[in-house]
């Protein structure tokens, strides 16, 4: 980190972080994927989003400015101040296309940074319903242990099993396993410095049942001894 970005982990990053953070893989909107001249949809149909609760906004802003200067001076990439849904933010774009990075602010002193496809419009304005309010999340992620130190949720059907993300194809055995899974949820709690407790839940897809008409037809075709 120090060599690549010139940042000190404790001084330039941890000093303004409050402790809470979220990391998400967010698919692009169908509208953006449908654009013929969109340079991001072919290599990747989703982007990573990091959101961090900030205790020192001026310190966080200074670090972001340092990153912007580094991208401009050392990597000669365009750094552009822009607006997404009326909210100011800063974007970096690779000159050959394919990768986009954006950083800005959300409500409640939360700074966000996205990398990959342009997904900032999925964060701003803040969605009316949060992820934890979604029925799929509630039915997948364990509620215990409580209190917890972190949770993980993966919608396998919309990520690994989706062709829109343009991810590398899994080996055949792993692909069969992935196609049988709907979602994965994990809740973790730290008991003490030496012990961690977690609960994992994997929601499998329901196997489709043959219709009565199909069963009757199958029975009619069987030969009697």
């Amino acid at each position: 980190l120090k060599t690549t970005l010139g940042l000190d982990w404790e001084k330039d990053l941890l000093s303004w972080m409050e402790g809470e953070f979220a990391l998400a893989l967010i698919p692009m909107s169908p509208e953006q994927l449908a654009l013929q001249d969109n340079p991001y949809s072919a290599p990747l149909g989703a982007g990573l989003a990091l959101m961090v609760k900030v205790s020192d906004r001026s310190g966080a802003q200074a670090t972001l400015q340092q990153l912007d200067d580094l991208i401009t001076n050392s990597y000669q990439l365009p750094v552009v101040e822009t607006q997404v849904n009326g909210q100011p933010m800063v974007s970096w774009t690779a000159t050959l296309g394919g990768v986009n990075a954006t950083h800005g602010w959300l409500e409640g002193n939360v700074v966000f940074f996205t990398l990959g496809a342009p997904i900032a419009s999925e964060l701003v304005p803040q969605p009316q319903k949060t992820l934890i309010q979604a029925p799929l999340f509630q039915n997948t992620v364990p509620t215990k242990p409580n209190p917890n130190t972190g949770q993980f949720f993966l919608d396998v059907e919309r990520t690994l099993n989706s062709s829109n993300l343009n991810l590398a194809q899994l080996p055949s055995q792993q692909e069969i396993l992935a196609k049988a899974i709907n979602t994965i949820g994990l809740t973790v709690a730290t008991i003490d410095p030496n012990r961690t407790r977690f609960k994992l839940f994997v929601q499998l897809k329901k196997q489709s049942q043959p219709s009565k008409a199909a069963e009757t037809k199958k029975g009619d075709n069987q030969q009697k001894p």
Side-chain angles (χ1 to χ4, degrees), residues 29 49 100 116 119 137 150 222:
S29 65
N100 174 277
I119 56 170
F137 181 95
Q222 293 179 348

Side-chain angles (χ1 to χ4, degrees), residues 38-75:
N38 184 2
Y40 308 104
S41 59
L44 187 63
L48 285 172
L50 173 65
M51 292 155 280
V52 181
K53 184 77 171 179
V54 171
S55 58
D56 179 8
R57 183 160 179 153
S58 61
Q61 193 62 51
T63 298
L64 293 175
Q65 184 61 55
Q66 187 175 346
L67 284 173
D68 291 341
D69 294 341
L70 176 72
I71 293 298
T72 300
N73 300 327
S74 299
Y75 296 96

Side-chain angles (χ1 to χ4, degrees), residues 2-216:
K2 184 72 173 178
T3 304
T4 306
L5 301 177
L7 297 176
D8 183 86
W9 174 247
E10 293 187 359
K11 178 182 177 181
D12 297 320
L13 295 170
L14 288 183
S15 61
W16 49 261
M17 294 182 181
E18 188 170 295
E20 295 184 25
F21 72 94
L23 182 66
L25 177 67
I26 303 176
M28 289 180 65
S29 65
E31 293 78 12
Q32 286 185 310
L33 280 172
L35 294 177
Q36 297 297 321
D37 58 348
N38 184 2
Y40 308 104
S41 59
L44 187 63
L48 285 172
L50 173 65
M51 292 155 280
V52 181
K53 184 77 171 179
V54 171
S55 58
D56 179 8
R57 183 160 179 153
S58 61
Q61 193 62 51
T63 298
L64 293 175
Q65 184 61 55
Q66 187 175 346
L67 284 173
D68 291 341
D69 294 341
L70 176 72
I71 293 298
T72 300
N73 300 327
S74 299
Y75 296 96
Q76 284 76 49
L77 295 180
V79 176
V80 181
E81 294 185 2
T82 183
Q83 286 195 350
V84 175
N85 293 330
Q87 184 162 328
M89 55 191 64
V90 177
S91 292
W92 314 336
T93 304
T95 53
L96 297 179
V99 177
N100 174 277
T102 302
H103 63 76
W105 292 90
L106 303 176
E107 296 179 7
N109 273 348
V110 174
V111 65
F112 74 87
F113 185 90
T114 70
L115 179 65
I119 56 170
S121 59
E122 302 297 321
L123 302 174
V124 179
Q126 184 173 332
Q128 294 183 351
K129 289 187 177 181
T130 62
L131 177 62
I132 61 175
Q133 294 175 310
L136 196 59
F137 181 95
Q138 295 176 348
N139 294 333
T140 302
V141 179
T143 57
K144 294 181 179 180
N146 185 26
N148 63 73
T149 53
Q151 292 180 309
F152 171 83
F153 171 74
L154 177 63
D155 187 341
V156 179
E157 188 63 17
R158 293 184 60 198
T159 53
L160 299 181
N161 294 338
S162 172
S163 59
N164 290 338
L165 300 189
N166 298 309
L167 298 175
Q169 186 174 0
L170 295 172
S172 57
Q173 293 296 326
Q174 285 81 352
E175 184 177 6
I176 293 174
L177 177 61
K179 288 188 178 299
I181 299 174
N182 193 31
T183 56
I184 299 174
L186 174 69
T187 299
V188 181
T190 301
I191 300 175
D192 56 48
N194 298 317
R195 292 186 299 166
T196 299
R197 181 185 176 190
F198 68 89
K199 190 171 183 179
L200 174 69
F201 179 79
V202 178
Q203 185 184 79
L204 301 177
K205 294 180 181 178
K206 293 182 179 180
Q207 184 177 6
S208 58
Q209 298 293 332
S211 63
K212 292 184 178 180
E215 291 179 346
T216 302

